[in-house]
Amino acid sequence: MIRKPFDQHEPRSTDILNHAGWTAEKDLAHFLAREYHTAVDIYVFNGLRVPDRAGGFTQIDHLILYRHGIAIIESKSVSGKLTVDRLGQWQRTWRSNPGKPENIADPLAQADRQARSLRVLLDTAEPPLMSKTLGLLQTRFGAFPILTFVAISTNGRFAGHTKPYETSVLKADQITKRINEQIATHLRGSGFKGMLRAGIGDEATDFTLSDAELSRIADYLMKQHTPPATSTRAPSQPTPAASIRIDRLEALSCAKCRSINVQVEYRRDYCLKCADCGKYSPLAYTCPLCGKHAKIRKRGAEFYRDCDRPDGCRQHTVFVRTS
């Protein structure tokens, strides 16, 4: 389930570095949407910005919440090579200028800092997000699995002293396969069989979140998300919510065959029809801004979600433009 779609505005093409970073995040958001769009117990958040304990904010490019853990993915635009040496020093080169390497901060260390900040945020939530064990002991996030990854562009290459990082630094189109493998590993470590494996030292027993706990954590993350301010000046008059249109074009795909050759159709309700396999897929009715149930409507060449519930954000969000 895509709980928070990719919604960053495209920078000017002349702003080369920022535009390249935006493209890398957009591409990975597409791969995540294609893989987890219909998953009922896997939540995807793109561009999550949550408070940290230092009074600032932690920006997470991509976060995946599943029943046995969390994955944090840091996107890196790499059209040439991303290299790391034996001392853990990182460099990036561009295909347009391969002879001029750029020193960059350790992207895995950056993701690890995000994981530590997120763990504190979840552990200090009030009321607690996880239920008590046997109704007595409050479960905390201190040992909750939070994995970190770095995704580089599909046309880039990871080189140098790569062996320590070969399961953590991957191309964007390889990330979902690795996360699915980790989900399967955590699944084997859960339940009664997982306890037996842990007893013989085979695998560690992992957390297993209930539906209610999954929902509480997802709702809490959306509640804590704080978009960066676009202006320090307050408007003299409030803008009517009904006149606000937000473009958040989504990477839609078929739930049956994962093809992106789909179009929106009305068949008892709005859904996706796949031109490759001919099957129909449901569309998500969750408002990407506030998480409330929204209505899907069409106006001309645009399909949009109208969040007109009394407790919603009262805005409509364009998710498909057909022309």
Side-chain angles (χ1 to χ4, degrees), residues 214-245:
L214 266 176
S215 180
R216 282 199 297 268
I217 295 171
D219 290 345
Y220 181 73
L221 290 175
M222 285 301 299
K223 183 179 178 180
Q224 293 297 312
H225 172 65
T226 308
T230 56
S231 174
T232 57
R233 296 176 59 187
S236 56
Q237 294 182 348
T239 304
S243 67
I244 299 175
R245 186 188 78 172

Side-chain angles (χ1 to χ4, degrees), residues 141-282:
F141 285 87
F144 190 76
I146 302 181
L147 309 175
T148 54
F149 300 93
V150 172
I152 67 173
S153 307
T154 55
N155 59 347
R157 185 163 65 92
F158 185 38
H161 188 56
T162 62
K163 189 172 180 59
Y165 312 100
E166 58 189 12
T167 60
S168 300
V169 181
L170 303 161
K171 289 190 176 184
D173 56 351
Q174 299 172 324
I175 282 287
T176 56
K177 178 182 178 182
R178 175 68 183 122
I179 290 175
N180 289 340
E181 291 172 350
Q182 195 61 53
I183 291 175
T185 298
H186 286 173
L187 181 60
R188 290 195 301 270
S190 64
F192 181 72
K193 290 183 178 179
M195 293 176 64
L196 291 179
R197 291 191 183 99
I200 62 175
D202 184 20
E203 294 185 51
T205 303
D206 293 319
F207 286 74
T208 301
L209 299 174
S210 66
D211 290 341
E213 289 170 329
L214 266 176
S215 180
R216 282 199 297 268
I217 295 171
D219 290 345
Y220 181 73
L221 290 175
M222 285 301 299
K223 183 179 178 180
Q224 293 297 312
H225 172 65
T226 308
T230 56
S231 174
T232 57
R233 296 176 59 187
S236 56
Q237 294 182 348
T239 304
S243 67
I244 299 175
R245 186 188 78 172
I246 300 177
D247 289 356
R248 294 170 177 255
L249 302 185
E250 298 174 11
L252 302 176
S253 62
C254 174
K256 311 298 180 182
C257 69
R258 305 298 186 186
S259 170
I260 60 174
N261 188 15
V262 296
Q263 62 181 7
V264 181
E265 286 193 5
Y266 189 86
R267 191 171 183 260
R268 300 191 186 93
D269 205 344
Y270 286 113
C271 58
L272 291 177
K273 182 178 180 181
C274 179
D276 290 335
C277 70
K279 302 294 185 180
Y280 291 88
S281 305

Side-chain angles (χ1 to χ4, degrees), residues 94-162:
W94 301 96
R95 184 172 296 175
S96 58
N97 192 1
K100 188 178 179 181
E102 171 194 14
N103 294 322
I104 63 171
D106 184 338
L108 271 176
Q110 183 177 352
D112 288 340
R113 287 192 296 270
Q114 296 167 7
R116 290 194 295 271
S117 179
L118 178 69
R119 195 183 299 278
V120 172
L121 178 73
L122 296 176
D123 211 29
T124 55
E126 291 294 341
L129 299 173
M130 287 197 282
S131 304
K132 293 183 178 180
T133 304
L134 301 177
L136 300 172
L137 183 63
Q138 180 62 55
T139 306
R140 294 293 182 181
F141 285 87
F144 190 76
I146 302 181
L147 309 175
T148 54
F149 300 93
V150 172
I152 67 173
S153 307
T154 55
N155 59 347
R157 185 163 65 92
F158 185 38
H161 188 56
T162 62

